Amino acid sequence: MTRWGEPSRESDALTTAAVVEQAQIAIVVIDRHSYLRYWNPFARELFGFVDGRDHAGLSLLDIGIHDSDREHASQLARRVLRGEPWEGTFAVLRGDSTWIHVRAQAVPVRDDETGEIDGITLIAREALRSGRVEEQYGLLERIGSRLAGSLEFDSTVKGVAGILVPQFADHCFIDLYENDRLIRQVSVHSEGWSPPPNTWVGLGEEVRYPERHFVTRALRRLETVVSSDHLFANSPNDRSDRVSRQVGISSVIAAPLRARGEVLGVLTLALSRLSLRQKNTYGGFDRDLVGAIASRVALAIDNARLYEEERTTALAFQRSLLPRSFPQLDGLTVAHRYLPAAPLQTHGGGIRTQVGGDFYDAIPLSAGRVGLVIGDVEGRSPYAAAVMGQLRAALRAFAQADREPADILRELDEWVRQLGQPDGNGGTWIPSVSCLYMVYDAWSRELSYANAGHSPPLLVTSDSVQPLELALPDRMLGVRARSGSGEDIVYHQANLRLPTGATLAMYTDGLVDRHPAGGRPDPERALTRITDRIAEVADKDVEQIAEAAVNSVPGELDDDAALLVVRTNSDQLAVSEGWFRSDASTVGESRHLAAQTFNEWGMDRDQAELACLLVSEIVTNVVIHATPRPVHRAFNGSGVFDSESPVDESGEDEFDEDWTDLLEAAEEEETAEDPADKEFLLRLRRGAETMWVEVFDNDLRLPRIRSAAADDEGGRGLYLVEQLATRWGSRPTPDGKAVWFEMPLFSEDSSEEG
């Protein structure tokens, strides 16, 4: 035998190198570090090397081996470098973006002098074109690996078709039953060919096979059918028959897809003239092979459907606990996103759908203020989602009662600790919850907030994007276990003023904890990428900012993520207010201010008259019941009483609307005290379609509606407010209380006429 590069004894003109260069099989040589050292022309063609590019020194993995097969190729190298030959099949993405499967043999290359292994010689060819039995078994193995790697329906069926075409077939169809109708789910063809419109059945369309069609026989008999004769005798229609003849269909296989006793559909494969191959008809072995493939495909499809049904149910449950949309909020535009976590691989426990406890909300409050909340419940499970749902409902109730942010977090902390679960060791596991709650007043641009361990939102202005400077966050909700220590959690409250036109991007940590391919999460780097991307679209609308934020960090979501983007604006906002003494003469003055303001705002005349009536009612309520100085609450064995409050013999507070003698009695009780001690503030606010009236006084007692008797002269004021206003209520303030009501700027009749 001659040595490499030496002339052969038979002919001095033909060298071994020339033989290798002309061989119709790929030969690739790599060193012991898996770097390419040599490849022949056929290898360049097989692997689709880009012309003109020097691949010398590149890794074996860089010639296009699919990500799923990279570990497979690495094992190949390790095994051969130990001196063992290797044979197998792997997928390759060629330079022209087409897929092929390559059957390869690898042998060690030894040094002539030392005998040590210096590298590997890889001999490869395109798999399955020759029809060899061992390659067909390799196909079955590859399909099994592909099916085991995915639980998503689309990737499952398309992945199978991508393996079968063009190595084993020129055409692949998968038709599945949907409500007793056979619907085409997959239609894949070799060489990039596509059937002309209105010939073969398209994706998503119903398939109706003739009675004597080979697919009908396969479904009726529940067995794999091979046919190479009379293929065009039972075509569904003339157009289908004509196209089948044009492409030269020569052989077909139809295999029922059965799983757990149910027929899911049918897998159909066909050979034609679209590609050159040594074998143009299917035989008995092919029938058995496709039958085995069909059984695996059917089980994978059934598993994928069950998994998607479970995941759809879980995500529907998760999304049902979150707001789908928000009402119009004056002074704010809102965009929101929820991103579910990727399926969790439990390393022995299967793949599990993850649902989490991330939540967000924008809650309309009194006088046009808005409560903004973002939070995250520890864990990824239905329990975390259930806790989230209860927390969000409780927070909404507390917020709409106009509780202060710090008070709300204190209530939620107690609520969380009541939702604990037994930990299996005789104790109770209490989830920790981060939560940031803020109240925004669009007219003053003031933001009042309390923070239980949540990341600060991003403040987006025309000049910069940076974390909003918040006071030091307090501890997360639920972190304090019940004990006899008497330890108490204190949640602090702070205020700040937002710049004009500012935008806030509130997010949960799942957004910055994405898992990049082949790396580890880097929250700081991810936040930098989000910040930079938002800065590029800072002048766009909130929807574009939200899209930029969720798409700026690559990688899979190991945790669910929530995002709430709110932009402040002062368009269509107006305010008018005035201070008045708490005496009878000012009722008319306050009503005059209201009437003049409503007229300037262009409020519907009928609505304005109705609103003025309600202004009179709540102002009269203040004149009658407001105390001349702040009231302090006292506690004793009989209950809670306010200083300076009239108490009847039964011990009940007489604050109500029994307005006998009404303003006359109020005038008689006037004293020579400083009038400033008896002032109240009337504030009128206008939004895009709504107006609010607020009256502030220094009386801590909140009003309530009472049922007036038929002969009572008063007691119907708040009843009128409740019946005629869209909403009304009262809330405590640091110095007393505020009574408010809300009405549309225009009546329904006037808007219909307009």
Side-chain angles (χ1 to χ4, degrees):
M1 178 179 291
T2 60
R3 298 175 61 84
W4 178 270
E6 294 181 353
S8 65
R9 295 186 178 89
E10 290 78 10
S11 173
D12 291 344
L14 187 62
T15 64
T16 306
V19 173
V20 172
E21 291 289 308
Q22 297 177 32
Q24 294 300 296
I25 191 169
I27 300 176
V28 177
V29 178
I30 59 177
D31 63 20
R32 62 179 300 104
H33 301 294
S34 296
Y35 294 127
L36 297 177
R37 295 307 179 198
Y38 170 81
W39 58 91
N40 68 345
F42 192 85
R44 176 182 295 275
E45 178 183 343
L46 179 66
F47 291 107
F49 288 170
V50 178
D51 291 339
R53 180 182 177 186
D54 185 8
H55 289 74
L58 294 181
S59 168
L60 172 66
L61 302 179
D62 293 330
I63 65 175
I65 294 178
H66 189 270
D67 291 344
S68 62
D69 281 338
R70 288 186 169 231
E71 179 60 28
H72 196 41
S74 299
Q75 292 176 358
L76 173 158
R78 289 193 293 267
R79 179 172 177 176
V80 177
L81 289 174
R82 292 197 301 265
E84 304 175 14
W86 179 91
E87 183 174 359
T89 305
F90 51 85
V92 172
L93 178 62
R94 294 153 57 101
D96 59 0
S97 301
T98 60
W99 283 99
I100 64 167
H101 288 85
V102 172
R103 186 71 177 177
Q105 292 176 301
V107 295
V109 176
R110 298 181 183 273
D111 185 88
D112 289 339
E113 297 180 0
T114 64
E116 295 183 354
I117 298 175
D118 286 341
I120 299 171
T121 297
L122 190 71
I123 302 172
R125 64 185 179 279
E126 187 174 357
L128 301 172
R129 290 296 178 97
S130 65
R132 293 178 58 188
V133 170
E134 60 269 23
E135 294 179 358
Q136 293 170 335
Y137 276 120
L139 171 69
L140 185 61
E141 177 185 358
R142 287 202 53 76
I143 287 179
S145 299
R146 177 62 61 87
L147 294 177
S150 175
L151 271 177
E152 295 183 354
F153 175 77
D154 286 342
S155 61
T156 295
V157 295
K158 291 178 181 178
V160 170
I163 293 175
L164 292 171
V165 176
Q167 272 70 39
F168 189 74
D170 293 306
H171 311 273
C172 176
F173 306 99
I174 297 179
D175 306 324
L176 299 178
Y177 282 110
E178 293 183 7
N179 300 323
D180 297 327
R181 298 168 62 235
L182 206 56
I183 305 298
R184 179 140 296 169
Q185 303 290 346
V186 171
S187 178
V188 175
H189 313 275
S190 64
E191 306 299 329
W193 180 83
S194 297
N198 302 318
T199 54
W200 289 353
V201 176
L203 295 179
E205 297 178 0
E206 182 179 3
V207 188
R208 296 182 180 180
Y209 292 106
E211 183 64 24
R212 301 181 63 183
H213 197 273
F214 62 90
V215 173
T216 305
R217 294 204 314 270
L219 290 173
R220 185 187 301 116
R221 298 175 184 176
L222 296 181
E223 62 183 29
T224 304
V225 171
V226 177
S227 179
S228 300
D229 300 321
H230 310 293
L231 294 178
F232 311 115
N234 297 293
S235 297
N237 55 63
D238 293 340
R239 295 186 302 275
S240 174
D241 177 75
R242 185 163 52 252
V243 172
S244 299
R245 293 179 185 275
Q246 288 173 354
V247 297
I249 299 294
S250 58
S251 188
V252 294
I253 297 180
L257 298 173
R258 295 185 67 196
R260 301 179 177 91
E262 296 291 332
V263 179
L264 306 180
V266 61
L267 167 68
T268 305
L269 303 175
L271 296 173
S272 70
R273 292 195 301 267
L274 287 181
S275 63
L276 297 176
R277 60 182 74 243
Q278 298 177 12
K279 180 178 178 180
N280 294 320
T281 59
Y282 292 123
F285 181 84
D286 301 309
R287 178 193 59 208
D288 296 339
L289 177 66
V290 173
I293 292 173
S295 64
R296 288 164 170 76
V297 172
L299 188 59
I301 289 174
D302 194 47
N303 287 339
R305 282 181 164 179
L306 290 174
Y307 171 75
E308 290 197 357
E309 182 178 352
E310 173 200 342
R311 183 166 176 79
T312 299
T313 301
L315 294 180
F317 167 64
Q318 171 84 14
R319 294 182 188 280
S320 69
L321 299 174
L322 295 171
R324 295 184 179 180
S325 61
F326 296 113
Q328 178 178 327
L329 302 170
D330 286 299
L332 285 179
T333 52
V334 181
H336 55 97
R337 297 290 188 274
Y338 171 73
L339 306 175
L344 178 66
Q345 296 185 5
T346 57
H347 304 290
I351 297 178
R352 189 176 67 220
T353 296
Q354 297 189 89
V355 290
D358 290 23
F359 62 99
Y360 56 86
D361 212 341
I363 308 168
L365 304 178
S366 63
R369 300 175 308 140
V370 179
L372 303 172
V373 60
I374 191 83
D376 186 1
V377 179
E378 174 189 9
R380 297 187 293 275
S381 66
Y383 172 70
V387 170
M388 176 270 287
Q390 295 183 70
L391 276 181
R392 179 172 166 261
L395 191 149
R396 264 192 163 258
F398 295 145
Q400 289 177 332
D402 279 312
R403 303 286 296 275
E404 294 293 327
D407 292 337
I408 289 177
L409 292 192
R410 280 192 289 270
E411 294 283 358
L412 291 180
D413 176 63
E414 178 66 26
W415 192 278
V416 169
R417 288 185 283 110
Q418 293 178 4
L419 298 176
Q421 277 190 329
D423 59 9
N425 298 318
T428 301
W429 178 78
I430 299 172
S432 58
V433 181
S434 67
C435 183
L436 172 62
Y437 178 66
M438 304 187 291
V439 176
Y440 179 67
D441 188 325
W443 285 263
S444 64
R445 291 186 282 110
E446 290 184 353
L447 195 68
S448 176
Y449 66 90
N451 188 8
H454 200 83
S455 302
L458 295 176
L459 175 63
V460 184
T461 65
S462 58
D463 300 324
S464 64
V465 179
Q466 57 188 358
L468 183 66
E469 293 186 6
L470 301 180
L472 185 68
D474 295 312
R475 282 187 284 182
M476 299 173 72
L477 307 176
V479 297
R480 172 172 57 112
R482 286 190 177 277
S483 65
S485 64
E487 178 189 15
D488 193 15
I489 293 291
V490 176
Y491 289 100
H492 301 88
Q493 185 169 316
N495 301 300
L496 55 84
R497 185 184 296 270
L498 293 181
T500 303
T503 300
L504 290 179
M506 307 167 66
Y507 62 92
T508 58
D509 56 9
L511 193 64
V512 296
D513 284 344
R514 287 192 171 184
H515 192 92
R520 295 182 178 180
D522 188 344
E524 292 185 3
R525 183 179 180 184
L527 183 58
T528 300
R529 295 188 65 157
I530 293 174
T531 301
D532 293 343
R533 185 70 185 96
I534 289 179
E536 295 174 2
V537 295
D539 58 339
K540 307 297 182 181
D541 61 42
V542 290
E543 291 292 339
Q544 290 175 280
I545 292 176
E547 280 299 302
V550 300
N551 294 320
S552 56
V553 181
E556 284 194 347
L557 282 168
D558 290 336
D559 191 6
D560 56 336
L563 175 71
L564 185 69
V565 180
V566 293
R567 170 167 290 165
T568 64
N569 63 75
S570 56
D571 296 342
Q572 299 178 306
L573 300 184
V575 62
S576 177
E577 60 183 34
W579 285 94
F580 301 92
R581 291 188 58 197
S582 297
D583 57 44
S585 63
T586 61
V587 175
E589 295 176 13
S590 59
R591 179 165 179 156
H592 177 73
L593 171 64
Q596 182 179 359
T597 301
F598 296 153
N599 182 59
E600 293 174 356
W601 290 349
M603 189 174 179
D604 175 67
R605 181 175 179 178
D606 293 338
Q607 289 290 95
E609 291 182 357
L610 181 58
C612 287
L613 170 63
L614 301 187
V615 168
S616 296
E617 294 296 337
I618 61 173
V619 168
T620 301
N621 183 81
V622 168
V623 171
I624 294 174
H625 297 294
T627 56
R629 54 186 172 273
V631 176
H632 303 283
R633 290 204 166 103
F635 300 83
N636 58 35
S638 301
V640 181
F641 297 95
D642 294 329
S643 63
E644 304 268 338
S645 298
V647 179
D648 62 15
E649 295 180 356
S650 64
E652 296 180 354
D653 191 344
E654 288 186 348
F655 184 89
D656 56 25
E657 296 180 75
D658 188 5
W659 294 351
T660 306
D661 298 327
L662 296 175
L663 301 178
E664 290 82 357
E667 290 177 351
E668 293 175 359
E669 294 175 1
E670 289 182 355
T671 64
E673 298 177 4
D674 185 358
D677 289 337
K678 298 184 62 177
E679 286 185 329
F680 67 88
L681 171 66
L682 173 64
R683 177 181 293 163
L684 310 172
R685 288 182 164 186
R686 187 198 71 189
E689 299 177 356
T690 309
M691 56 79 60
W692 294 269
V693 173
E694 293 179 287
V695 177
F696 298 83
D697 63 39
N698 60 356
D699 186 1
L700 290 176
R701 297 170 299 171
L702 300 180
R704 67 178 188 272
I705 297 177
R706 63 180 294 273
S707 299
D711 55 350
D712 286 345
E713 297 183 17
R716 298 177 179 84
L718 291 183
Y719 179 79
L720 281 175
V721 175
E722 181 183 57
Q723 295 298 313
L724 299 177
T726 305
R727 293 193 306 157
W728 82 280
S730 60
R731 67 177 186 273
T733 63
D735 299 324
K737 70 173 181 298
V739 182
W740 60 273
F741 69 83
E742 170 188 329
M743 288 184 64
L745 285 171
F746 306 99
S747 64
E748 294 183 2
D749 294 340
S750 62
S751 59
E752 289 177 1
E753 291 173 2

